[in-house]
Structures are given as C-alpha cells and as structure tokens.
Amino acid sequence: TRYRDPLTGLLTLMFSLGEIFGALGCIIFMPTLTEVGQWTTLCTWATMPSYLMLPVSYMLLEESPRYLAVKCKTEQLRNVLEAMVRWSRSPLGCDVDIDVGSPGSTRSSGP
C-alpha cells in the first residue's frame, strides 16, 4: 500500500526517539550510573511516553471484531467492520451478513 513506506519510517523514527529519550533520562538522573536511589526515577521516566499515549489510544482504538462477535454485539461489530473498510479504502470483496441466531452462524457469500 502507499502508506507502508511512511509508516515503516515513522516506526523507525519512534525507536530512535525512544533511544534518545532513554539516554536523556540516564544523563539527567544517573550521569555516572552509580547513583543507587535513582533507578526508580529512571524507570518512571522511561514509562512516561506510554502513560502519555494511553488517553490517545483509549480514544482512537476500537474493540476487536472477534471480541464483539463472541459477545454478540452485532451493531458495534458492524460499525467496526465498516470503519475498517473506510480506513483501508478498499472494498471487502464479498458480502457479509451477520446472523445472531446461534454461535457460528455467520454467513458469507463470495463473488
């Protein structure tokens, strides 16, 4: 896809930024690497980016389609699948009809 290269570059950039962030934490909190009580502060520093991304992830991530199917939440499942089709910008390639009658009763009709 056309997004593969930019996303791969972004992933690589995030690893590099993480290394810089970790190095800055070492420079600030443990410049000689002998400070005994500073390890907990350094570990807290290292977890900051994940805590900052938690609200963003909570707002942007959807439930997995499998979880919604197992819990028979068909309306949410349909919404998530439609969003996946919109995000991928490509048609499904087949018609999917969701039946909530019994487990394993999802019908798919191919082309």
Side-chain angles (χ1 to χ4, degrees):
T1 66
R2 68 181 196 203
Y3 296 112
R4 182 172 295 157
D5 290 337
L7 288 177
T8 302
L10 182 64
L11 179 65
T12 304
L13 175 68
M14 289 300 145
F15 276 111
S16 300
L17 291 176
E19 292 291 329
I20 292 169
F21 187 77
L24 284 175
C26 283
I27 290 169
I28 292 169
F29 299 114
M30 298 184 71
T32 62
L33 296 178
T34 58
E35 293 84 357
V36 176
Q38 295 297 325
W39 280 106
T40 55
T41 306
L42 184 62
C43 289
T44 303
W45 170 267
T47 61
M48 285 300 170
S50 60
Y51 287 123
L52 293 175
M53 289 304 296
L54 187 64
V56 175
S57 300
Y58 184 75
M59 290 185 298
L60 294 178
L61 292 178
E62 300 279 349
E63 288 287 351
S64 74
R66 177 167 167 49
Y67 171 80
L68 294 172
V70 167
K71 296 297 182 179
C72 293
K73 297 183 177 190
T74 55
E75 189 59 37
Q76 288 175 307
L77 174 60
R78 189 179 316 278
N79 293 339
V80 168
L81 292 176
E82 288 171 356
M84 290 171 73
V85 169
R86 278 194 311 275
W87 275 84
S88 69
R89 294 185 179 156
S90 63
L92 278 178
C94 64
D95 294 329
V96 178
D97 182 29
I98 299 170
D99 182 17
V100 292
S102 62
S105 63
T106 300
R107 297 184 310 264
S108 175
S109 59

